[in-house]
Amino acid sequence: MRLSPQLTVDGTAVHLPVSNRVAPLLDELAILYADRPGDIGALLNRHASTVLALDHAVVSEDSTDYGRAMCAAEADATREALLDEIDAAAHVDAVLSPDDAITLGTRLTRLAAHIRHRTNRTPHA
């Protein structure tokens, strides 16, 4: 699947759309949940609780670095458990050949330069 960067409508940023890559995950997760609501629901509930615990640990003044690290590890583990259930997850991450990476980098650079050129203009005196 190809990544196609483009300017935002207002022309002030570069948009790298990935929603078309995420859609198959959501679709498959919905189907899995419909087929196995108990199992998938339990995984989703557990993941939600670990994500909320991590969010709390990140903003809590009482949290230690060790506590934050443990919460992050638990959230990673439950996320991985969910992703292991979804076959499409293996195809979501973009893996680019060297040529494709150079092309993407060049396109991003061109778009960013276009924005910078338009927004950094100084009026002539």
Side-chain angles (χ1 to χ4, degrees), residues 1 5 9 11 21 38 47 51 68 70 90 93 97 101 117 121 123:
M1 187 169 288
V9 173
R21 300 180 71 80
H47 182 57
V51 169
R68 284 185 201 93
M70 290 304 297
D93 289 339
S97 70
H117 178 70
R121 286 187 187 170

Side-chain angles (χ1 to χ4, degrees), residues 18-66:
V18 295
S19 60
N20 59 343
R21 300 180 71 80
V22 175
L25 288 175
L26 294 175
D27 295 347
E28 191 171 341
L29 182 60
I31 292 167
L32 282 169
Y33 181 76
D35 287 344
R36 299 174 21 223
D39 295 339
I40 302 303
L43 277 172
L44 286 168
N45 281 329
R46 180 67 184 137
H47 182 57
S49 69
T50 63
V51 169
L52 291 172
L54 175 58
D55 287 348
H56 176 73
V58 167
V59 299
S60 174
E61 294 177 10
D62 298 332
S63 293
T64 63
D65 288 342
Y66 175 78

